[in-house]
Amino acid sequence: MEYSIIRNLIVEIPQVPGNFAKVVSVIGSEQADLGDIETLKIGTHSTIRDISVQFEDEAHIERVVEKINQIGGGITIHAVSDDVLKAHEGGKIHMGSRREIRSLGDLRRVYTPGVANVCKAIEKDPDQANYFTSIGNSVAIVTDGTAILGLGNIGPVAGMPVMEGKAVLFDQFVGISGVPILLDTSDPDEVVETIKHIHQAYGGILLEDIGSPHCFEIEDRLKAELDIPVMHDDQHGTAVVTLAAILSACRTAGVDLAKAKVGQIGLGAAGLAICRMLMAYGVEEMYGSDLSDDAKDRLEKSGGTVVSSVDEIMEKSDIVVATTGVQGLIKKEQVRKGQIILALSNPHPEIKPDDALEAGAAFAADGRLVNNVLGFPGIFRGALNAKAKEISYPMLIAAAQAIVDSTREGDLVPHPLDPNVHVAVTEAVERAANTGQVQ
Ligand SMILES: NC(=O)c1ccc[n+]([C@@H]2O[C@H](COP(=O)([O-])OP(=O)(O)OC[C@H]3O[C@@H](n4cnc5c(N)ncnc54)[C@H](O)[C@@H]3O)[C@@H](O)[C@H]2O)c1
Ligand SMILES: O=C(O)C[C@H](O)C(=O)O
Ligand SMILES: [Mg+2]
């Protein structure tokens, strides 16, 4: 069963023992996936609950609603609401101010004429901008909309909810102001030129959901031409978290990563970066497959071995990572006993972790669990804290190591809401930026 829709069922349940269980059992017997339950109102005779449920499609929702309404005894569905859309009403972010203006004195300090002195101080010594503006705490989240999650080239405006989401994570996890920038061009010359012209307002540039192959040239050129940290999240944020998950799995399984055979399905932005990171970490046998000859060439040039098909990767590899954007690409029959399988495409993985485990995998995870949210916030916080001019390989390895160190024995990665992991990544990256060393 593929769950692609989340809805909230607002259900009134008369207070008779066993009534709530009847509702839950209908949801279970119809194979819908029960999520959070919130009590909205406790009355004398009945309780109103908001039950979050994942469904396959609209027909599935209708079936479950009808069955619940048929239970009888006063059990009634009052509304079916969409929690996800509700959470997006009005957008998820806004630019706020850090100073209140309550008096004319405040106005003169915060704005004119006081502000002119600050401008002159920065004109005289541009470094002062680090202390008297928000620049050093702001990161531009830049997309051209060409590889939004695994949804493909849906354009930058359709990708805005993802960019706003990244801004929310930046703010809540590490206190960075993330500012979405939507580009209506994918031409590397134009993208680089545009970002160069606007970069001065930001302490760093996070490139997000920019497709391959143009993402490689864009990132390389920006890194060379700007003296602030630039990182393509889908490449390096993903590679860091994937390396961390693989290291944790190897730790638990007692496997030596350098000696393991690793297969990567999909050699786009995320896939190629994962291969490069794993090979730099010491993996000797790195296999990759893609539909595009250019993508395969890039892997060969980076030192990996191209194989012809998904079948061959599944056949050969102890550890399999998939980042194709293709839901259900890996079949249960292709899974080998004891494999570690990370099917990282969002919103739908190449194989569901439960299916992979059922087919014999030793570890399996999807892109909701192994997600670059564990990496990019702390990587940028650490880089900004250190006033680093770039995000270097030792900084990325330090981030991966910090994620491994924050992972409980037996888990693949920490919980993304664990504030300790973002602090640990920040500190490790800052240390690596200052010393050039991982530890
Ligand atoms: N979990 C995470 O943190 C995370 C991070 C980044 C990307 N992703 C996911 O990875 C996926 C790819 O993202 P990307 O930025 O690398 O996109 P991309 O477009 O750069 O790369 C996708 C690659 O997959 C290849 N591909 C497509 N179908 C294939 C098939 N049947 N067999 C082999 N290769 C195939 C394409 O040719 C392309 O090279 C997306 O679904 C995205 O959500 C997940
Ligand atoms: O946005 C995410 O959840 C992860 C990643 O950046 C992706 O593109 O899928
Ligand atoms: Mg992304």
Side-chain angles (χ1 to χ4, degrees):
M1 179 97 31
E2 283 301 332
Y3 298 111
S4 55
I5 308 181
I6 303 176
R7 290 286 184 274
N8 286 54
L9 307 182
I10 313 298
V11 197
E12 179 157 8
I13 305 171
Q15 279 167 4
V16 174
N19 258 358
F20 181 58
K22 285 182 193 162
V23 174
V24 170
S25 111
V26 166
I27 292 170
S29 66
E30 286 299 319
Q31 293 186 15
D33 192 22
L34 186 67
D36 290 346
I37 299 165
E38 194 187 341
T39 302
L40 298 179
K41 192 175 143 202
I42 300 183
T44 322
H45 303 295
S46 64
T47 304
I48 297 184
R49 289 200 162 93
D50 176 334
I51 305 176
S52 170
V53 185
Q54 291 201 60
F55 299 95
E56 196 182 10
D57 51 27
E58 295 292 338
H60 193 196
I61 299 174
E62 272 174 37
R63 230 167 35 238
V64 173
V65 168
E66 199 184 319
K67 284 257 166 88
I68 292 176
N69 282 331
Q70 279 170 0
I71 298 173
I75 295 173
T76 320
I77 295 203
H78 288 300
V80 180
S81 91
D82 182 335
D83 207 21
V84 176
L85 282 176
K86 225 163 60 185
H88 285 77
E89 276 170 18
K92 292 177 291 204
I93 54 173
H94 83 130
M95 172 79 85
S97 72
R98 299 182 65 232
R99 300 284 175 266
E100 265 191 87
I101 297 183
R102 293 174 168 215
S103 66
L104 263 186
D106 289 341
L107 185 63
R108 287 173 185 157
R109 261 190 300 280
V110 169
Y111 192 49
T112 199
V115 71
N117 281 341
V118 190
C119 298
K120 283 197 285 189
I122 295 172
E123 185 193 15
K124 207 164 138 202
D125 175 9
D127 196 39
Q128 302 278 308
N130 282 319
Y131 306 102
F132 298 125
T133 75
S134 58
I135 292 172
N137 198 44
S138 302
V139 171
I141 303 168
V142 182
T143 192
D144 65 349
T146 51
I148 300 295
L149 309 176
L151 306 174
N153 186 354
I154 61 171
V157 178
M160 183 64 166
V162 174
M163 305 311 128
E164 290 193 3
K166 299 271 172 186
V168 171
L169 304 174
F170 258 145
D171 180 41
Q172 291 200 11
F173 294 154
V174 295
I176 284 176
S177 297
V179 183
I181 308 277
L182 306 184
L183 299 177
D184 63 357
T185 174
S186 296
D187 175 75
D189 289 335
E190 289 185 352
V191 171
V192 170
E193 219 28 42
T194 305
I195 297 177
K196 274 171 66 182
H197 282 299
I198 59 146
H199 84 278
Q200 291 187 97
Y202 308 101
I205 307 287
L206 178 78
L207 303 172
E208 186 64 48
D209 290 357
I210 296 181
S212 54
H214 58 292
C215 63
F216 302 121
E217 180 182 346
I218 289 170
E219 192 198 40
D220 286 349
R221 283 174 58 183
L222 285 170
K223 278 177 87 92
E225 294 185 38
L226 298 183
D227 61 357
I228 57 174
V230 176
M231 184 181 90
H232 184 202
D233 189 26
D234 299 281
Q235 291 185 59
H236 312 296
T238 314
V240 160
V241 179
T242 304
L243 172 62
I246 289 176
L247 285 172
S248 295
C250 288
R251 182 174 66 180
T252 306
V255 170
D256 176 1
L257 174 56
K259 298 277 167 269
K261 297 185 175 94
V262 187
Q264 168 68 44
I265 307 172
L267 300 168
L272 185 65
I274 291 167
C275 291
R276 285 175 169 163
M277 174 73 94
L278 290 172
M279 287 188 284
Y281 199 82
V283 170
E284 286 159 16
E285 287 186 74
M286 182 78 238
Y287 304 110
S289 79
D290 200 292
L291 303 176
S292 138
D293 288 338
D294 288 347
K296 292 192 262 193
D297 278 354
R298 275 188 288 275
L299 176 68
E300 261 174 357
K301 285 201 182 94
S302 305
T305 306
V306 169
V307 300
S308 59
S309 64
V310 172
D311 249 339
E312 202 180 337
I313 292 260
M314 296 303 294
E315 179 68 26
K316 275 195 152 83
S317 314
D318 307 313
I319 301 169
V320 176
V321 184
T323 55
T324 60
V326 182
Q327 176 177 3
L329 180 66
I330 301 175
K331 307 292 171 231
K332 275 171 91 170
E333 310 77 76
Q334 293 173 308
V335 174
R336 268 185 25 209
K337 204 165 160 34
Q339 265 175 339
I340 295 169
I341 299 187
L342 305 180
L344 301 186
S345 284
N346 289 317
H348 303 296
E350 286 78 357
I351 184 168
K352 286 195 284 179
D354 283 351
D355 287 347
L357 291 170
E358 221 178 273
F363 292 89
D366 61 20
R368 292 177 299 182
L369 182 72
V370 178
N371 191 287
N372 50 26
V373 62
L374 288 164
F376 78 86
I379 292 172
F380 270 89
R381 182 75 274 166
L384 292 181
N385 288 358
K387 298 201 177 57
K389 295 198 182 309
E390 61 166 355
I391 291 171
S392 63
Y393 176 69
M395 289 158 79
L396 296 176
I397 293 291
Q401 197 56 56
I403 296 171
V404 174
D405 294 344
S406 308
T407 304
R408 286 186 320 193
E409 196 65 45
D411 286 350
L412 281 184
V413 286
H415 193 286
L417 296 185
D418 172 1
N420 297 326
V421 64
H422 302 294
V423 173
V425 172
T426 297
E427 289 176 357
V429 169
E430 189 174 345
R431 209 176 308 121
N434 285 327
T435 62
Q437 308 275 311
V438 171
Q439 281 299 337

